[in-house]
Amino acid sequence: MPPYPDKIKTTVQGTIEAPEGVLKITKIQCHYDLKIPKGKREAAERVLNVFETKCPVAQTLKGCVEFEHSWTIEEYEE
Amino acid sequence: MSDPIALTKITIEQDKPPHRLAYIDGFEEPFHYGVHGGVKEFYGVEPETEYPSTLDHIVASAGG
């Protein structure tokens, strides 16, 4: 599934709070807009479901920041 | 639970892999992410242009 050109866009929102008087990122919500070839939805969702375990940044912040992942998938004819 | 102090919103666009552009709300020019050095070697890619990795940005952030 080619990620480029114009096949993936990610919108990320970080929530910043000060639970102990110091600013801290407490939550990161990631939404992925994907365009994939028709018939590849199952494979794409399999990848999305393990994305966090393969993401160096998520693995670095794991345990400190809560992550939420969501996605919208649009299929196209090849 | 109190309201958050700030919400940071960012849009990431995929350019020719591994180059990505991160647009932070409120700023026109994007930040560039890519690979170089050990990260480049780890992934076994040879980008046309080297950019700092997302891990570089985390480390830079920690430095203030």
Side-chain angles (χ1 to χ4, degrees):
Chain A
M1 284 175 277
Y4 172 83
D6 192 32
K7 298 290 187 295
I8 181 168
K9 187 179 84 172
T10 309
T11 308
V12 192
Q13 180 171 282
T15 302
I16 297 171
E17 299 177 277
E20 294 170 20
V22 178
L23 291 178
K24 176 182 178 180
I25 300 167
T26 54
K27 186 176 187 180
I28 296 177
Q29 294 169 295
C30 305
H31 184 84
Y32 310 99
D33 287 298
L34 299 180
K35 293 177 185 171
I36 63 170
K38 197 163 186 170
K40 297 285 188 182
R41 179 178 290 267
E42 191 180 328
E45 291 192 332
R46 195 165 54 240
V47 171
L48 288 161
N49 278 310
V50 299
F51 175 79
E52 189 173 315
T53 63
K54 304 294 182 186
C55 171
V57 171
Q59 288 303 300
T60 299
L61 302 177
K62 186 179 174 182
C64 301
V65 179
E66 177 188 348
F67 280 90
E68 277 184 17
H69 302 279
S70 60
W71 50 81
T72 303
I73 295 176
E74 178 187 330
E75 294 181 76
Y76 64 86
E77 298 280 357
E78 281 191 288
Chain B
M1 185 152 172
S2 61
D3 289 336
I5 288 168
L7 296 174
T8 177
K9 294 182 76 175
I10 299 173
T11 302
I12 315 240
E13 292 180 359
Q14 178 72 60
D15 197 4
K16 187 175 181 182
H19 180 209
R20 292 95 72 206
L21 297 93
Y23 291 87
I24 300 175
D25 255 19
F27 297 89
E28 195 170 329
E29 294 299 319
F31 290 86
H32 296 267
Y33 295 147
V35 295
H36 72 107
V39 175
K40 179 180 78 171
E41 288 169 17
F42 179 84
Y43 286 119
V45 295
E46 191 56 59
E48 286 177 8
T49 305
E50 296 188 354
Y51 290 105
S53 71
T54 48
L55 295 175
D56 288 315
H57 283 264
I58 291 177
V59 176
S61 306

